[in-house]
Every structure is written in structure tokens, then in C-alpha cells.
Amino acid sequence: MVLLPKPALEQFSLMRNIKPTTFFSGIPLIDLSNPDSKHLLVKACEEFGFFKVVNHGVPLEFILKLESEAVKFFSLPLSEKEKAGPPNPFGYGNKSIGQNGDVGWVEYLLLTANQESISQRLSSVFGDNPEKFRRALNDYISAVKKMSCEILEMMADGLKIQNRNVLSKLLKDEQSDSVFRLNHYPPCPEIQALKDHDMIGFGEHTDPQIISVLRSNNTSGLQISLNDGSWLSVPPDLSSFFINVGDSLQVHI
């Protein structure tokens, strides 16, 4: 982590804490083991654009192994992590988000969901021994891809699209432009001294994709905006996934 001088903090967005965080309990819950969930899934897409997935088939072992390897990566000295950067757009990034000048109190590792690309990036950091991290990434990404394809096909069924793999085949394609992103939001000592403020790690935005698959550890921070413009905090859940409907799906539906 790089500690910035206080004047440099002015480029980051702050959020005033007016009241304790209240978690939203009304997030739609989709059980992928229930064949009838496709109707609930479509309703969740239409009314919320966001839902929680359980019984998703991604082994907890894969989730915990990747989290462990990610913690090790982000704990490396900055000079070591920067060997996997700068992001163009893939690679390690720190504070700068994307190519439009946006900034956030976040560091990240952005990769294509392609095994060869992953190996190249990790080799730049770990030399000849990236195997443990690479294996954790590949196991996790393969399992999450399988779950995502199931969700996309359930969406197609629920929307009565005759060819149910019309969306999932985009993800299965070897030339798929799907990406994988690990975000780390380090503590900010200067802001921690301001008891009534929080730092914005990744600011207000919509996702351009068909769907985004999100998972966090037991740290809160994710918020969603409802149709009335209100912002609600999403309770963290170590073993579940959250699905956000992206702009591409919203436009086509």
C-alpha cells in the first residue's frame, strides 16, 4: 500500500457517515438447485437488477483457496505487485480505475478469463513458481463460469428465448471477452482518523457487461441503488454469490 500525503487525498471521494450501516434484507434469493427458480430469477432481474445465488455448485474449497492466494498477492511489496502492471487494461492497478481518469482507494488485479493470459501475468510476479496462484485462479474461474452459464441459460428460459444458450455461448467461446477482477480495499490511516467519514473505494457506476458475478469476504461495503434512487448496503456473505444485471442485458431486454 502507498501512503499518500494528505493533499493527495483530495482527489478521492469521501462519504459522510450519517447513521450506522443498515443492511438490506430484501435482496432476492435464487436457489440454483431449484428448477423453478428461473421465474424468480427473471423477476429479480426486472425489479432489482440484482440477486443473491445459493447452492451454486462452486466448491467452498476453491473460494477459500483463491482468497488465501489473493491475500498473499496483495500483501507483497508494491514493487513486486507492479511487476504485473501497469494495467493496459489487464494487469495490476493501484488507485487509477480504467482509462477515463477515475480514481478510487483500491488496488486490483484484472485478468482475462483465459488460462494462458493468467499464466503470463503471474509469471511476471512469481517467476517460475506461479503454480499455486494459477491453479487457484483456474479452479475458481472454471467453477464460476459453469455457474454463470447456468444462470444465463435460466435467464433465457425465463425470457422464453428459444435458443437457451444464446447468452451462455458468449461465455463459453474461446474468444470470450469475459474478465476476472480481484479488488483489494486497503485501510486508509488518514481517513480512519476522521471518525465520521469513509473512503470511497470504487465509486458509483453501472456495469457494461451482460452480468457481473460478485463475491466478497465478510467485509461490508457493497451498496446497490434501487429504482427510487436510494442506496442500500448488501450484507456480506462468504459462501454466496451476488449477480448484477449489466447494461448489455438491460438494453437487449
Side-chain angles (χ1 to χ4, degrees), residues 170-209:
L170 300 175
L171 188 56
K172 295 176 180 178
D173 194 306
E174 290 184 2
Q175 301 301 316
S176 171
D177 61 356
S178 57
V179 300
F180 176 76
R181 183 181 186 118
L182 284 168
N183 286 337
H184 174 232
Y185 303 95
C188 178
E190 289 85 350
I191 295 303
Q192 288 177 323
L194 303 176
K195 302 297 183 182
D196 60 343
H197 286 79
D198 278 336
M199 180 71 78
I200 297 295
F202 210 121
E204 177 182 340
H205 66 281
T206 61
D207 293 334
Q209 302 91 291

Side-chain angles (χ1 to χ4, degrees), residues 23 185 216-222 234-238:
F23 290 121
Y185 303 95
S216 70
N217 53 20
N218 283 327
T219 302
S220 61
L222 176 62
V234 177
D237 189 323
L238 179 67

Side-chain angles (χ1 to χ4, degrees), residues 3-20:
L3 295 183
L4 300 181
K6 290 185 179 180
L9 290 175
E10 295 176 0
Q11 65 182 307
F12 296 98
S13 300
L14 302 181
M15 176 177 64
R16 180 177 292 276
N17 292 330
I18 299 175
K19 58 183 179 180

Side-chain angles (χ1 to χ4, degrees), residues 9-139:
L9 290 175
E10 295 176 0
Q11 65 182 307
F12 296 98
S13 300
L14 302 181
M15 176 177 64
R16 180 177 292 276
N17 292 330
I18 299 175
K19 58 183 179 180
T21 298
T22 300
F23 290 121
F24 179 51
S25 60
I27 295 172
L29 181 66
I30 307 299
D31 183 349
L32 291 188
S33 67
N34 182 354
D36 295 329
S37 288
K38 62 185 178 184
H39 304 296
L40 295 174
L41 188 152
V42 172
K43 183 179 179 182
C45 290
E46 293 174 344
E47 297 182 359
F48 284 89
F50 190 87
F51 54 91
K52 179 178 177 177
V53 173
V54 297
N55 292 324
H56 43 68
V58 179
L60 183 59
E61 175 190 4
F62 290 178
I63 293 173
L64 296 179
K65 278 186 178 180
L66 178 60
E67 185 166 313
S68 174
E69 291 302 315
V71 168
K72 292 177 185 177
F73 173 80
F74 287 118
S75 298
L76 291 171
L78 180 61
S79 59
E80 291 298 306
K81 290 181 288 192
E82 286 182 333
K83 292 178 180 178
N88 60 345
F90 302 109
Y92 171 78
N94 187 17
K95 309 295 189 297
S96 296
I97 303 172
Q99 301 177 358
N100 297 320
D102 297 327
V103 296
W105 196 259
V106 60
E107 59 176 344
Y108 62 89
L109 185 62
L110 181 64
L111 304 166
T112 69
N114 176 286
Q115 293 191 11
E116 183 177 346
S117 171
I118 290 173
S119 295
Q120 290 174 352
R121 284 292 174 182
L122 297 185
S123 294
S124 64
V125 178
F126 298 103
D128 295 330
N129 192 29
E131 183 60 27
K132 198 171 181 182
F133 198 0
R134 184 195 63 78
R135 186 167 58 247
L137 278 166
N138 286 338
D139 287 346

